[in-house]
């Protein structure tokens, strides 16, 4: 049984039936059986399906946004744009997959030699709760347009959101079982990975869970893409546009109540502007409204689960006890729901918990740096390597610095974000492989070399 709980009230929404292992195996079989006819379709035919799915998503945008607000606390004003982003992703790959996967002629001793990209079969996507629509479609859209079929094991916290995705495919008239929703308890995930009909695995989640997925997939010699946690640095130098930097740093940290892998989590500020910038951050954070995610006036909703909230408070408490100053928030609230106050921690050092661990919530940790060299050194002093932001006036110099930051993506004078047009992913304990862009669609295909004498 899968149980959905409303994090705003702390009360159960509903129980949903979960598949047992036999039923799970049958559903995986359905996706595998659908592969032969789906891969035979042209890119244009697949694109027609993905565009129809995008249309259905837009038609259901308010209802799906409400589901996300109810199941995991995403403010309704963020939920609608997330559904739109998922629809855009489907359309992007509908428009571009054929070009991305065009055969490539390579010079050799053959009369002609080339690489062609062919689908693998049925794939398994294991998805988290924090962006139920977007994270699903950045897996589904490229994989389906490449000709694979997709099994989707969504997080047990968001069963209705997962079903809404399946319903969109059905309503769009998509061929049966090209996308199979797999409502199972997490304990069955290993069996799903090991199923011989699953050809590859896409996983988004924590580094700890990703290590387990990677180990199982590796033992079966199956390719995997892992998008894991992050502790993204945001470097702010004295010559930056400080107003814009403060606005974007706060936005990046607070989207989805801070429950984002690519949120700005470690703010590194040049010493000469440190007091001024701290106050700019404090003023902006203090102005945010916590409340019911179903209301348009809410900026920050609840944490998705109470165990996650308790862990976040542990991280904040340990950091304060280690010497950081708490300028805002930091206290576990009483009352219903899983709220955590917007929290600002100053004078955080690299050995403190808020810098060593990923903080998944509305907690901003800030530290002074003497200069750019120290900023880069601290930025790289982490086991993660997902994203990073750099704010400074000299764009050319900033691009050189970006080359020295150990991360999968670096935003200069802007927000770290995911975009269907650009590859996204991490290094170190933030994972491996890439999603999105032309790179993402090539993760789950066979790059077949053909040599003609």
């Amino acid at each position: 049984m899968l149980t959905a709980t409303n994090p705003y009230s702390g009360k159960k929404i509903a129980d949903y039936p979960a598949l047992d292992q036999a039923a799970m195996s049958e559903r995986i079989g359905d996706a595998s059986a659908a592969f032969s006819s789906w891969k035979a379709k042209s890119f244009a035919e697949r694109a027609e399906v993905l565009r129809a799915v995008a249309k259905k998503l837009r038609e259901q945008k308010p209802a799906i946004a409400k589901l996300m607000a109810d199941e995991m606390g995403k403010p309704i004003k963020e939920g609608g744009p997330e559904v739109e982003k998922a629809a855009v992703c489907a359309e992007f790959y509908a428009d571009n997959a054929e070009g991305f996967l065009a055969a490539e002629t390579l010079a050799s001793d053959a009369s002609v030699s080339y690489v062609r990209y062919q689908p693998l079969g049925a794939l398994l996507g294991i998805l988290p709760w924090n962006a139920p629509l977007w994270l699903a479609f950045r897996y589904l859209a490229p994989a389906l347009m490449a000709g694979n079929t997709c099994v989707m094991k969504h997080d047990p916290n968001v069963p209705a959101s997962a079903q809404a995705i399946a319903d969109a495919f059905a309503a769009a008239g998509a061929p049966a079982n090209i996308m199979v929703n797999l409502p199972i308890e997490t304990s069955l995930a290993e069996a799903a990975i090991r199923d011989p009909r699953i050809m590859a695995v896409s996983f988004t989640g924590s580094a700890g869970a990703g290590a387990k997925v990677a180990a199982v997939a590796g033992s079966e010699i199956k390719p995997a893409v892992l998008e894991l946690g992050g502790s993204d640095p945001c470097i702010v130098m004295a010559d930056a546009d400080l107003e814009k930097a403060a606005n974007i740093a706060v936005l990046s940290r607070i989207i989805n109540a801070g429950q984002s892998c690519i949120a700005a989590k470690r703010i590194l500020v040049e010493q000469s502007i440190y007091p001024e910038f701290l106050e700019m951050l404090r003023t902006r954070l203090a102005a945010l409204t916590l409340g019911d995610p179903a209301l348009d006036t809410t900026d920050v909703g609840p944490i998705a689960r109470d165990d996650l909230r308790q862990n976040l408070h542990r991280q904040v408490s340990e950091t304060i006890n280690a010497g950081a100053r708490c300028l805002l928030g930091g206290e576990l609230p009483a009352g219903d729901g899983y709220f955590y106050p917007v929290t600002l921690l100053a004078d955080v050092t690299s050995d403190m918990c808020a810098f060593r661990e990923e903080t998944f919530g509305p907690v901003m940790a800030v530290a002074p740096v003497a200069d750019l060299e120290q900023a880069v050194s601290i930025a790289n002093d982490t086991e993660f390597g997902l994203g990073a932001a750099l704010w400074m006036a000299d764009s050319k110099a900033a691009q050189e610095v970006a080359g020295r930051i150990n991360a999968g993506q670096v935003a200069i004078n802007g927000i770290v974000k995911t975009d269907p047009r650009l590859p996204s992913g991490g290094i170190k304990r933030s994972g491996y492989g890439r999603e999105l862009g032309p790179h993402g669609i090539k993760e789950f295909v066979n790059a077949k070399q053909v040599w003609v004498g």
Side-chain angles (χ1 to χ4, degrees), residues 9-97:
S9 65
K11 296 178 181 179
K12 182 171 77 172
I13 300 171
D15 290 321
Y16 295 81
L19 303 179
D20 61 16
Q21 188 159 352
M24 178 187 77
S25 179
E26 182 178 344
R27 293 300 283 135
I28 291 174
D30 291 339
S32 180
F35 172 60
S36 60
S37 59
W38 180 244
K39 74 174 181 179
K41 291 188 180 297
S42 67
F43 282 105
E45 289 171 319
R46 294 180 208 147
E48 185 178 354
V49 172
L50 268 289
R51 292 191 185 101
V53 172
K55 181 180 179 181
K56 292 301 176 184
L57 289 178
R58 290 194 175 98
E59 290 173 0
Q60 293 296 312
K61 189 186 298 185
I64 297 174
K66 179 63 165 55
L67 281 179
M68 291 191 287
D70 289 344
E71 289 190 321
M72 50 72 60
K74 185 184 297 290
I76 204 84
K77 67 182 181 181
E78 294 179 11
E82 179 177 326
V83 179
E84 177 64 26
K85 191 173 182 179
V88 167
C89 186
E91 292 171 335
F92 173 77
Y93 280 105
D95 293 342
N96 293 286

Side-chain angles (χ1 to χ4, degrees), residues 161-203:
S161 298
Q163 187 58 49
I165 295 169
D167 291 345
F169 276 83
N177 300 319
I178 63 166
M179 200 293 289
V180 168
N181 183 30
L182 205 66
I184 60 171
E185 296 179 353
T186 301
S187 58
L188 284 180
E190 179 175 344
I193 297 170
R194 293 192 187 279
D195 190 297
R197 296 164 296 184
I198 292 294
M199 296 292 106
V201 183
S202 177
F203 175 83

Side-chain angles (χ1 to χ4, degrees), residues 81-443:
E82 179 177 326
V83 179
E84 177 64 26
K85 191 173 182 179
V88 167
C89 186
E91 292 171 335
F92 173 77
Y93 280 105
D95 293 342
N96 293 286
E98 185 170 10
F100 289 158
L101 298 178
E104 296 179 48
T105 299
L106 301 173
S108 75
D109 59 349
S111 61
V112 62
S113 50
Y114 57 91
V115 173
R116 60 188 304 181
Y117 297 99
Q118 296 179 307
L120 299 178
L123 312 179
L124 174 64
I126 302 176
L127 307 175
W129 48 264
N130 59 322
L133 268 287
W134 168 239
L135 296 179
F137 272 83
R138 74 183 196 185
Y139 154 63
L140 295 170
L144 289 168
M145 279 305 302
N148 300 292
T149 55
C150 292
V151 177
M152 181 182 71
K153 186 271 181 207
H154 221 317
D155 191 277
N157 291 346
V158 290
S161 298
Q163 187 58 49
I165 295 169
D167 291 345
F169 276 83
N177 300 319
I178 63 166
M179 200 293 289
V180 168
N181 183 30
L182 205 66
I184 60 171
E185 296 179 353
T186 301
S187 58
L188 284 180
E190 179 175 344
I193 297 170
R194 293 192 187 279
D195 190 297
R197 296 164 296 184
I198 292 294
M199 296 292 106
V201 183
S202 177
F203 175 83
T204 301
S206 70
K212 295 175 184 177
V213 168
V216 175
S219 73
E220 297 289 340
I221 319 179
K222 294 181 180 182
V225 169
L226 306 178
E227 201 270 30
L228 309 179
S231 186
D232 286 12
C234 174
I235 298 171
V236 182
M237 303 308 294
D239 63 348
D241 181 334
L242 298 186
E243 291 286 338
K244 185 177 180 181
N247 289 338
I248 296 299
V250 168
L251 175 65
S252 178
R253 176 64 276 197
I254 294 303
I255 287 176
N256 203 26
Q259 299 168 115
S260 168
C261 296
I262 56 171
K265 298 189 175 89
R266 296 179 296 142
I267 316 301
L268 309 176
V269 184
E270 191 167 7
Q271 180 68 63
S272 63
I273 58 164
Y274 184 63
E276 174 189 0
F277 198 72
L278 263 181
E279 181 56 27
M280 293 171 73
L281 295 174
R282 192 198 67 77
T283 300
R284 286 161 173 77
L285 291 170
L288 297 170
T289 300
L290 273 73
D292 184 348
L295 300 178
D296 288 333
T297 53
T298 295
D299 299 311
V300 183
I303 301 299
R305 300 197 313 260
D306 192 45
D307 63 308
L308 299 173
R309 180 176 71 150
Q310 296 294 337
N311 185 59
L312 181 66
H313 187 57
R314 173 193 62 80
Q315 293 171 316
V316 168
S317 299
E318 288 185 12
T319 303
I320 294 171
N321 291 338
R325 288 187 292 143
C326 184
L327 304 184
L328 197 67
E331 296 182 359
L332 196 63
D336 296 331
Y338 309 144
F339 283 98
Y340 198 81
V342 175
T343 297
L344 178 60
L345 302 176
D347 305 344
V348 181
T349 59
S350 291
D351 58 345
M352 293 181 185
C353 185
F355 267 23
R356 302 314 304 172
E357 300 180 13
E358 178 181 31
T359 51
F360 223 58
V363 175
M364 179 176 280
V366 192
V369 292
D371 52 29
L372 191 54
E373 291 306 311
Q374 186 183 31
V376 172
S377 177
I378 294 174
N380 289 337
D381 184 17
T382 176
E383 64 182 12
F384 298 105
L386 197 53
L390 176 59
W391 291 85
M392 54 188 291
D394 188 335
S395 178
K396 184 176 180 181
Q399 290 178 62
E400 185 277 326
V401 175
R404 295 191 280 128
I405 295 175
N406 298 329
Q409 63 185 95
V410 179
I412 297 172
N413 296 328
I415 194 168
V416 177
K417 62 184 178 181
T418 49
D419 182 323
R421 298 166 294 186
L422 302 172
S424 178
I427 60 173
K428 300 191 285 186
R429 285 183 64 82
S430 289
Y432 51 75
R434 289 295 178 267
E435 295 180 298
L436 303 174
H439 302 74
I441 199 171
K442 290 181 178 177
E443 289 285 357

